[in-house]
Amino acid sequence: APPTAPPTAPPTAPPTAPPPARPTAPPTAPPTAPPTAPPTTAKPTEGLKCRKPCKQKKKLRKLRKKYKKGKLPRYVDVNIKDIVSYCDLKTSKCCVKDNPKAKLCKL
């Protein structure tokens, strides 16, 4: 008997490229519980970093007019009665910049 050819396998799909490698994330620390802080009633003031910004509407009147005309940025350094402060001209609130003991709200 003549030798027979081995049975042929059905045609297979062409090999596909492996999926793209995912970037490996660096190991992360286990999740920790968020610090429990007492709830605050005041909204945090964007840009100002002190706990209780002081409203200084009268003292910022001229600067606010310039801000509204686009001549000044929203956040500026202001010297109020020899207290260097960082103020938000949109809200008229200020934080003492360098001296945490200064009583800006009392002015």
Side-chain angles (χ1 to χ4, degrees), residues 2 14 18 23-24 29 36 39 48 68 75 78-79 81-82 87 94 101:
T24 56
T36 54
L48 299 181
K68 287 178 183 178
Y75 299 101
V78 181
N79 190 342
K81 302 264 186 172
D82 294 327
C87 299
C94 298
K101 292 181 181 178

Side-chain angles (χ1 to χ4, degrees), residues 13-60:
T16 58
R22 289 188 200 161
T24 56
T28 56
T32 57
T36 54
T40 57
T41 54
K43 288 193 304 186
T45 305
E46 181 184 329
L48 299 181
K49 304 293 183 206
C50 61
R51 277 190 188 169
K52 294 183 181 179
C54 297
K55 195 84 163 174
Q56 297 291 331
K57 198 166 192 172
K58 288 181 182 178
K59 292 174 180 71
L60 297 174

Side-chain angles (χ1 to χ4, degrees), residues 87-106:
C87 299
D88 179 346
L89 295 179
K90 186 174 183 180
T91 63
S92 300
K93 292 184 179 182
C94 298
C95 290
V96 174
K97 197 163 182 182
D98 299 323
N99 182 358
K101 292 181 181 178
K103 303 289 184 196
L104 184 64
C105 295
K106 303 284 187 202

